[in-house]
Amino acid sequence: MPTLLAPSRQPTSQSIAGSPVVAIVGATGAVGVELLRCLEQRGFPVRALKLLASARSAGKIVPFRGETVTVETLTDDSFAGVDIALFSAGSAISKRHAAAAVQAGAIVVDNSSAFRMDPDVPLVVPEVNAASLACHRGIIANPNCVAAIATVALAPLHRAQAIRRVSAATYQAASGGGAAMMEELRASTEAYLRGEDYAPRALPHPYAFNLFSHNAEVDPDSGYNGEELKVVAETRRILDIADLPIGITCIRVPVLRAHAMALTVTFDEPMSVDAARRLLASAPGLRVVDDRAANHFPMPSDVSGQDDVLVGRIRTDIGDPSGRSLALFVAGDQLLKGAALNAVQIAELLLKR
Ligand SMILES: NC(=O)c1ccc[n+]([C@@H]2O[C@H](COP(=O)([O-])OP(=O)(O)OC[C@H]3O[C@@H](n4cnc5c(N)ncnc54)[C@H](OP(=O)(O)O)[C@@H]3O)[C@@H](O)[C@H]2O)c1
């Protein structure tokens, strides 16, 4: 596990007073663009904004709140005067630069997987475990997109009746893999429709009109891929159920934006569909879309660009004769709730504390 803090820096529950100077690391990426939009749309009180990316993007002009900001090349000296640094440039960049940002006095909210399982770094979904923010030491981790979306739906049920097992199958969009994968879906679909060949660039398989096992590396021993293992570990950590049995299969589908997932949840005791629907309908960050008559349930096209996670197809699982299992279908815009929105919500909590 990387060293997060210089030895001189004490554990802190540092928060931000007044209007912060905000830096976005990875400002030109799929998540970075959404971070900018969330800050602007939610009226986050940014005093000054620093946009950082690779040297490839240096000099690029980006609009923000009616003004323009010039993208700069990320270096360890980029963080002087920064109060909140929103990192979204991949795990290697976070491991390389987050400590420098903390050392310079910033609080880091990190979108990558670099620190998510570090016991000294809270892994936060504000609707689920905001209290865990209290003991941060300068770095706060934003969860994997599937884990963030799934736990928004699972937490209100678990608060009412202990969850004993989860089985999940995911249908994950191109945007989960960043700007290059979104472009691959667009370009390969256009080529397909023109009847032209397309050699995959960002992915190992043809993407247009196809689906395939998630592109994360597969562990040769267990057969699970890195995405599946992250979702299991992070879901357990966010829900604070250390040994929760979770079975999962993660699939990449030709959807541009927003993930969906089928969840089967087994409880300690039976939970009725009506009770589950009531709990989900009153939970923060969730909207029930469960219209059996119209066959209308959560869809990526409905949730794209939306803050709320959608949940529906709420049924008693007929595969569990004990009656203790419910089946759900969940969709969420993972560029928002699975990344940028969740990070900005964390930053908002830092302002309030
Ligand atoms: N996409 C999602 O739904 C999602 C969800 C949760 C978490 N995340 C995590 O968020 C992070 C970013 O994902 P993304 O989807 O936004 O990826 P992306 O679209 O590929 O964007 C990557 C960003 O990182 C920047 N970058 C790359 N190399 C850099 C370097 N050497 N120095 C400084 N900046 C550099 C890029 O800048 P240039 O444009 O200059 O190359 C770009 O701004 C990843 O850690 C990912 O795992 C993503």
Side-chain angles (χ1 to χ4, degrees), residues 25-33 52-58 60 71-74 87-94 97 110-113 116 142-146 174-180 182 230 259 333-336 338-340:
V25 179
T28 52
V31 175
V33 168
L52 303 163
S54 78
R56 292 179 292 274
S57 302
K60 196 174 167 191
V71 177
E72 299 170 39
T73 304
L74 169 68
F87 270 67
S88 191
S91 192
I93 301 290
S94 295
H97 293 278
D110 182 33
N111 263 298
S112 82
S113 59
R116 289 178 189 154
N142 216 37
N144 164 280
C145 41
V146 172
S175 50
M182 294 169 83
K230 278 184 209 170
H259 290 351
D333 186 329
Q334 96 297 334
L335 285 176
L336 293 176

Side-chain angles (χ1 to χ4, degrees), residues 62-151:
V62 175
F64 182 71
R65 288 195 316 214
E67 296 178 23
T68 56
V69 184
T70 305
V71 177
E72 299 170 39
T73 304
L74 169 68
T75 72
D76 271 347
D77 298 325
S78 298
F79 300 100
V82 170
D83 298 302
I84 299 180
L86 304 170
F87 270 67
S88 191
S91 192
I93 301 290
S94 295
K95 286 178 184 163
R96 165 80 182 79
H97 293 278
V102 173
Q103 193 63 41
I107 301 179
V108 169
V109 182
D110 182 33
N111 263 298
S112 82
S113 59
F115 308 115
R116 289 178 189 154
M117 295 311 292
D118 185 321
D120 287 335
V121 174
L123 178 66
V124 180
V125 177
E127 293 85 348
V128 180
N129 64 344
S132 65
L133 202 56
C135 59
H136 79 81
R137 298 175 172 210
I139 300 181
I140 298 145
N142 216 37
N144 164 280
C145 41
V146 172
I149 291 165
T151 54

Side-chain angles (χ1 to χ4, degrees), residues 19-283:
S19 300
V21 176
V22 177
I24 299 179
V25 179
T28 52
V31 175
V33 168
E34 296 299 330
L35 281 166
L36 267 167
R37 203 170 288 157
C38 285
L39 290 171
E40 188 162 345
Q41 284 178 353
R42 294 172 73 85
F44 192 86
V46 177
R47 178 150 47 94
L49 186 63
K50 201 159 196 180
L51 300 183
L52 303 163
S54 78
R56 292 179 292 274
S57 302
K60 196 174 167 191
I61 306 288
V62 175
F64 182 71
R65 288 195 316 214
E67 296 178 23
T68 56
V69 184
T70 305
V71 177
E72 299 170 39
T73 304
L74 169 68
T75 72
D76 271 347
D77 298 325
S78 298
F79 300 100
V82 170
D83 298 302
I84 299 180
L86 304 170
F87 270 67
S88 191
S91 192
I93 301 290
S94 295
K95 286 178 184 163
R96 165 80 182 79
H97 293 278
V102 173
Q103 193 63 41
I107 301 179
V108 169
V109 182
D110 182 33
N111 263 298
S112 82
S113 59
F115 308 115
R116 289 178 189 154
M117 295 311 292
D118 185 321
D120 287 335
V121 174
L123 178 66
V124 180
V125 177
E127 293 85 348
V128 180
N129 64 344
S132 65
L133 202 56
C135 59
H136 79 81
R137 298 175 172 210
I139 300 181
I140 298 145
N142 216 37
N144 164 280
C145 41
V146 172
I149 291 165
T151 54
V152 169
L154 293 173
L157 301 175
H158 179 61
R159 282 188 202 109
Q161 184 67 261
I163 292 177
R164 293 299 179 216
R165 184 174 188 280
V166 176
S167 176
T170 71
Y171 310 83
Q172 296 183 226
S175 50
M181 207 177 285
M182 294 169 83
E183 182 50 31
E184 178 112 331
L185 179 55
R186 277 195 203 96
S188 62
T189 304
E190 283 167 11
Y192 187 100
L193 292 173
R194 285 195 301 266
E196 295 170 2
D197 289 340
Y198 181 91
R201 293 166 204 162
L203 282 165
H205 307 292
Y207 203 178
F209 303 99
N210 190 22
L211 58 81
F212 46 87
S213 186
H214 192 283
N215 46 293
E217 194 177 340
V218 179
D219 172 40
D221 296 326
S222 68
Y224 281 82
N225 62 49
E227 179 77 354
E228 292 161 345
L229 297 174
K230 278 184 209 170
V231 176
V232 170
E234 294 180 30
T235 299
R236 288 173 173 162
R237 189 163 184 227
I238 296 161
L239 293 177
D240 195 20
I241 321 176
D243 52 359
L244 179 66
I246 302 176
I248 185 162
T249 301
C250 288
I251 300 295
R252 188 73 77 185
V253 295
V255 166
L256 203 52
R257 179 169 171 153
H259 290 351
M261 58 199 79
L263 302 177
T264 305
V265 189
T266 303
F267 300 93
D268 224 4
E269 299 288 337
M271 182 184 292
S272 73
V273 168
D274 284 347
R277 198 180 279 118
R278 274 195 303 276
L279 290 165
L280 295 167
S282 60

